[in-house]
Amino acid sequence: MHLSALSRLSFRALPALAAAILRRGEEEEKKKQQQQQQRGRRPRSWRRETHPHYNLSVKVLRARNIHGADLLSKADCYVQLRLPTASPLASRTGVVYNCSDPEWNETFHYRIHGAIKNILELTLYDRDVMLDDQLSSVVFDVGNIKPGRITKRVFQLNPKEKEVLEVEFSIEESLEPPTQIITNGVLVAHPCVCVEGRIHRGEKQSVEKGDSRCLKLSMPGSYEKQMCAPFRLPTIQEQGTPFVFHTDRDLSPQLDIFLQQSLRVGQDDLAPELDKQTFLVGEGVVRISSLPDGQEVEVSVPLAKGHSLEMSVKAEESLLEPDLRLGFELSEGEKGYLEKRKAVVSRALGEALQLQRGPSAQEVPVIAVLGSGGGTRAMTSFYGSLAGLQDLKLLDSVTYISGVSGSTWCMSTLYEDPDWSQKDLQDPIGRARKSVTGSKAGAFSVERLRHCLQQLVAMEKDGHRVTFTDLWGLVIEYFLHQQDNPVKLSDQQACVSRAQNPYPIYAGVNVRVNISGGDFAEWCEFTPHEVGFRKYGAFVRTEDFGSEFFMGHMIRRRQEPKICFLQGVWGSVFAANLDEIWARAAGTGIRWLTSLTDVIKVIDGCRRLHFRDPSRLETRLVMPSGVVSHIFQDFFKSRFTAGERYNFTKGLYLYKDYVGVREFVAWKGNHLDSFPNQLTPMEESLYLVDGGFSINSPFPLMLQQERDVDVILSFNYSWDAPFEVLHLTTNYCRERGIPFPQITLSEKDEKNPKECYLFMDEDDPRSPIVLHFPMVNNTFRRYKAPGVGRATEQEKADGNVALEGKDSPYRTKNFTYEPHHFDQLVEMNRYNVLNNREQIKKAIQAAVARRKRKRRTARPWAKK
């Protein structure tokens, strides 16, 4: 309130005014607390909701004090507008030349849906002859605009130079009836429109033989994007040229038709195709909104003088349920397994803990075993750790087994036997010994390479996207089996049908090809029943992984890939970019690259965070680093060998309140989760790599609240940094408000770790009990079994397991071991489990006690 107005108030009115302000502040604070309490609570499965459409008007007014990229002249400015949830194409203002204070006063109109997060990007460019220079970009949440009023925003582009961009917004609710969507609280699926038809003929007059004219059909925003067809009359036997597009009606789609002709302009007989140039002869358009739903109609499209196109076309909206599962609950297969597994675990715990009777179904703790990455070293070590658990009669008490990289190679081999955990592990260990100690030269023989080429060609013919990672998967297949292995991941459903084995979960992460895994990585879980992202609550059947999806519907079914191709993804050691390789070698990334990255700032003009709606994203300013900087970024941060897969979340949108889900860290100003236009549902492909590029152990998959894990046995097989996975997991949990015990270690522990560490939060029963096993040769060098010392020289030699140094046989790049080295590594890891029997039993007993006290009920998962 202005001071002069305040001075006119009577003295008696001031207490009432103060009380009203105080009440308003208390109400806003209470509302904020309620919203914070709701943050992190996950919705269950998907639901149908009805939301209105809105008409958004964006008027780009002017900019002030703009300093262009060219220091010798003033800027030639224009503004590009991008709102991908409303239009697949970007719009732009006109160019104002040679002006530091350009004015446009141009208005752009959009039709937006009220259920989704609509983010408008306003990018200021300086026009250039060769390549336009991007000066700055404003990322604005349209939800910040209140309907029914005109709102002017002044965006501070450069406070030091007083650069600003002025934009005027207005939103009105549309008069058209609200429409229904499907959502799980994070993703939104709109009804998919299938536009299909046939091209009957090109023109009335005859078409000469050898005519070089062709048609290009394009539908921006559709899954298929465009197709080409010859411009000719069909024969009597032909039914016309078919076409099909899948699109979103809310994008106001249209079918653009271009008639093109190729002419030869040169005389090069050796390469005539290089002399051809394509010219536009005519064009036409069919607006999808003009077509009746579900009814085939005949359409004549004039293209140019003397040219027309006759076609039949039908646009049909699909109201079916999605073909992928939208929800955060466990799959039906996993839930059915858990019910059966409780009885198995109860019996095993009764025997292992020497109880008169096993725990009841409500008291049975969920125990998870995690294996870290580490190539052949991790695979070999995981065999030893599991053998130790079997010797303690605790393997049947384990509910989940999950792994990263080399640990997944061990798992996937074990689960080829439907009853592997019910048998002595010495047999599979013996087979692994044969493969690890055998020669790998055959993997690169002419016959094997020819076989690999045939496999990759067959994959490509089936429609899969083939990358170097697939070739690496075939190499792993030979390393593990020395022959073709037709097994698929879905085959492992037989291994858990009777809950006879722990439930396997394989870990990978989805990354960006030009962003470090430490900065952005989305955990993807692979189980016998489903593959998906719990972050988004999006899953597909394991049999359908590799098929093409759009807007939640399967567009094309592809054959499920062999498990070796997944092994290549889970252990894709070659997917590192140069910056990550440097970080591994030097302990830190390439520091000068940081100075070349885009600068991202929060520029909300209103700083009343006390009253701010937490479901709205703050306005962010992106200051680009420049073309040369991006060239360096692309070179050092690109993943040339990431496993490219079809993105089954493509065509889905982020829900308007997605920032309230705990998996998202959108409150961090420069995290990609703050930019929904760049998140996975907007991407063409998935880029799946080894989970070790994020956290070298699958803790994030086991810390999902739906799995309700009580005890985690973490086996670390990394070459160095024995506690790094715990520290990274702590940061991961802190960002997302996930309960996790405090990791307290002394300097002595960091330098000379013991065999086992127990971490437990006595005050928070929601937090899992963590038993962490670093890969160390601590007491094994003196004892061949717990309490049994080494007596002979041979026994002492067997205890000298070389885990360090450049001459160690267990370095990650080494895929072949000598037989005695393999035996030593297996026995050492087996011994480390047996030697910590009491620690393991203590953790399990504490978990049973927690269950008995019924303190582990539904987890609120709210941020503290």
Side-chain angles (χ1 to χ4, degrees), residues 432-450:
R433 184 180 190 267
K434 182 179 179 181
S435 66
V436 171
T437 60
S439 173
K440 307 299 187 295
F444 306 103
S445 66
V446 175
E447 293 78 9
R448 181 64 187 179
L449 291 177
R450 184 182 296 113

Side-chain angles (χ1 to χ4, degrees), residues 99-150:
C99 181
S100 301
D101 302 308
E103 293 198 20
W104 294 280
N105 292 314
E106 294 186 38
T107 303
F108 302 86
H109 301 281
Y110 299 95
R111 174 178 172 270
I112 62 176
H113 198 280
I116 63 179
K117 178 65 74 174
N118 294 287
I119 302 296
L120 176 66
E121 299 174 14
L122 298 156
T123 306
L124 183 65
Y125 282 94
D126 184 2
R127 182 70 180 270
D128 202 346
V129 176
M130 298 295 295
L131 182 66
D132 294 352
D133 297 304
Q134 181 180 339
L135 302 180
S136 57
S137 182
V138 174
V139 182
F140 179 70
D141 187 348
V142 175
N144 289 311
I145 304 300
K146 302 299 181 184
R149 66 178 68 172
I150 297 176

Side-chain angles (χ1 to χ4, degrees), residues 203-207 213 233 306-307:
E203 53 189 4
K204 294 181 179 180
Q205 63 267 29
S206 61
V207 180
R213 286 174 294 181
L233 286 171
H307 297 84

Side-chain angles (χ1 to χ4, degrees), residues 53-69:
H53 288 89
Y54 292 89
N55 296 320
L56 168 68
S57 296
V58 182
K59 187 175 184 179
V60 182
L61 300 175
R62 62 188 65 85
R64 291 287 181 262
N65 306 310
I66 301 301
H67 296 74

